[in-house]
Amino acid sequence: MKILITQSDRQVVMYAENIIYEDDIYYAWNDIAPHKVTRANTREALEIVTLPNGVTLPDDEYIIGKYVYTVDDTFEIWPHWDDNPII
């Protein structure tokens, strides 16, 4: 599993089995659906991280934007995350 994180605060912006960077665009896809590609185009510096063996994504409906990936190979809730629904 790979994740795409912001370099500034390590916030998760994408996750998939495969993530690559080509021509200023990040592409992500899973092996079970290789024809489905998600693109991320941003001005913020991003980093592709391969999760080490034994490290799994949080068991949560919301991962993108909610979690940061620490330098200790753990996930923590982003300090500015607000669980209150937008009405």
Side-chain angles (χ1 to χ4, degrees), residues 1-5 10-12 14-15 49 51-52 54-59 63 66-78:
M1 180 63 66
K2 294 185 180 195
I3 58 173
L4 187 63
I5 60 172
R10 302 182 61 83
Q11 187 177 21
V12 177
M14 184 182 293
Y15 62 91
V49 176
L51 296 181
V55 175
T56 59
L57 294 171
D59 185 20
I63 295 172
K66 182 175 182 177
Y67 286 90
V68 295
Y69 184 67
T70 70
V71 294
D72 299 323
D73 298 326
T74 61
F75 288 94
E76 295 178 359
I77 294 178
W78 185 52

Side-chain angles (χ1 to χ4, degrees), residues 19-86:
I19 300 176
I20 60 171
Y21 179 71
E22 285 184 358
D23 300 323
D24 293 331
I25 299 175
Y26 292 88
Y27 296 91
W29 70 96
N30 292 316
D31 291 336
I32 58 172
H35 63 285
K36 291 188 176 181
V37 174
T38 302
R39 299 178 348 149
N41 194 354
T42 180
R43 296 189 192 281
E44 184 162 355
L46 301 175
E47 177 182 350
I48 298 171
V49 176
T50 301
L51 296 181
N53 289 337
V55 175
T56 59
L57 294 171
D59 185 20
D60 193 328
E61 181 180 0
Y62 302 104
I63 295 172
I64 295 173
K66 182 175 182 177
Y67 286 90
V68 295
Y69 184 67
T70 70
V71 294
D72 299 323
D73 298 326
T74 61
F75 288 94
E76 295 178 359
I77 294 178
W78 185 52
H80 305 291
W81 180 258
D82 184 0
D83 270 329
N84 295 320
I86 298 173

